[in-house]
Amino acid sequence: RKEVEQDPGPFNVPEGATVAFNCTYSNSASQSFFWYRQDCRKEPKLLMSVYSSGNEDGRFTAQLNRASQYISLLIRDSKLSDSATYLCVVRPYSGGGADGLTFGKGTHLIIQP
Amino acid sequence: DAGVIQSPRHEVTEMGQEVTLRCKPISGHDYLFWYRQTMMRGLELLIYFNNNVPIDDSGMPEDRFSAKMPNASFSTLKIQPSEPRDSAVYFCASSPSSGRGKTQYFGPGTRLLVL
């Protein structure tokens, strides 16, 4: 089983629609969770952290379900500029160190006008 | 701040040649990470350093790969000899040792093609 699994898509969504992605992770000891965004031929950039209570940043909402070991990202009122690959990211330890991240392969989102 | 700087941005070489990738982390960041991205395997952590000391190199594919961090502002990833299967985008990232989530900031990457 892969450590972090995502549906690769692509998700083709009309502008203004709401879209949701999920990902699952295999390491139950994982402590920190993130969504990164990667544009074509660019580096990954942090979109938002994911907290146990769920969190919102503008049009973006992230949720964590530890019991089922999945993470979700909801994008409301999607914009053309939201077209990108969204990477689900897990860090296994919460110790003093930063530790390496484990990335899913990403979900490709295309917002259509 | 200029962000994480990587060089070269593109590298084309022939099988068997030595390749050296370079990274300058964000000033003040204690951690430096090397990742590799391919279509087949996605983003994979190769090695990371804390205060210039290698902490975990379990992701380094084999002895042909080596990484060094001689000081806080410079790191290299070397492949010798290179093989076509090493073709990938290599990212360097850095992060501070404190702060919520210890966000990792990625450089623009080096696109390596081994012929």
Side-chain angles (χ1 to χ4, degrees):
Chain A
R1 181 180 175 186
K2 296 173 185 171
E3 292 190 58
V4 180
E5 291 201 62
Q6 296 182 250
D7 182 342
F11 283 46
N12 289 282
V13 175
E15 190 176 9
T18 295
V19 59
F21 313 132
N22 290 331
C23 94
T24 58
Y25 61 95
S26 60
N27 185 349
S28 60
S30 298
Q31 295 293 332
S32 300
F33 309 90
F34 312 90
W35 284 101
Y36 273 67
R37 170 191 169 132
Q38 186 171 24
D39 293 297
C40 187
R41 301 182 72 81
K42 298 287 188 180
E43 70 272 23
K45 292 183 179 179
L46 178 67
L47 177 66
M48 59 195 304
S49 300
V50 186
Y51 304 126
S52 297
S53 55
N55 49 296
E56 190 174 302
D57 182 1
R59 298 181 294 108
F60 298 83
T61 300
Q63 293 200 318
L64 168 65
N65 184 320
R66 285 187 184 272
S68 301
Q69 293 180 213
Y70 82 77
I71 306 154
S72 65
L73 177 67
L74 181 79
I75 306 174
R76 292 181 300 278
D77 187 24
S78 54
K79 312 291 185 188
L80 295 176
S81 57
D82 294 334
S83 297
T85 297
Y86 290 83
L87 304 167
C88 179
V89 185
V90 172
R91 188 169 71 223
Y93 309 111
S94 63
D99 303 314
L101 301 175
T102 301
F103 286 79
K105 288 189 177 181
T107 296
H108 189 37
L109 173 65
I110 301 170
I111 305 299
Q112 297 175 329
Chain B
D1 198 318
V4 176
I5 299 172
Q6 290 187 247
S7 65
R9 295 290 303 274
H10 300 87
E11 177 81 28
V12 180
T13 191
E14 292 186 344
M15 182 173 63
Q17 296 298 306
E18 178 179 295
V19 175
T20 299
L21 311 181
R22 297 172 177 80
C23 175
K24 176 179 168 55
I26 293 172
S27 178
H29 282 190
D30 302 304
Y31 287 83
L32 183 140
F33 305 82
W34 283 101
Y35 292 89
R36 177 173 69 176
Q37 187 173 35
T38 61
M39 288 291 292
M40 288 295 293
R41 301 175 68 91
L43 260 167
E44 302 174 284
L45 176 67
L46 300 177
I47 185 172
Y48 77 92
F49 296 82
N50 177 216
N51 291 322
N52 314 338
V53 176
I55 302 300
D56 183 355
D57 65 354
S58 60
M60 296 286 262
E62 48 197 272
D63 291 346
R64 298 184 297 106
F65 286 69
S66 63
K68 294 182 179 179
M69 192 164 185
N71 58 62
S73 60
F74 183 65
S75 177
T76 59
L77 178 68
K78 186 175 292 186
I79 309 172
Q80 167 62 19
S82 57
E83 296 182 3
R85 61 191 167 123
D86 301 330
S87 298
V89 181
Y90 290 81
F91 288 103
C92 176
S94 69
S95 76
S97 57
S98 60
R100 193 166 193 176
K102 303 183 183 68
T103 302
Q104 293 188 16
Y105 297 86
F106 283 73
T110 295
R111 294 183 176 276
L112 174 65
L113 177 61
V114 183
L115 302 173

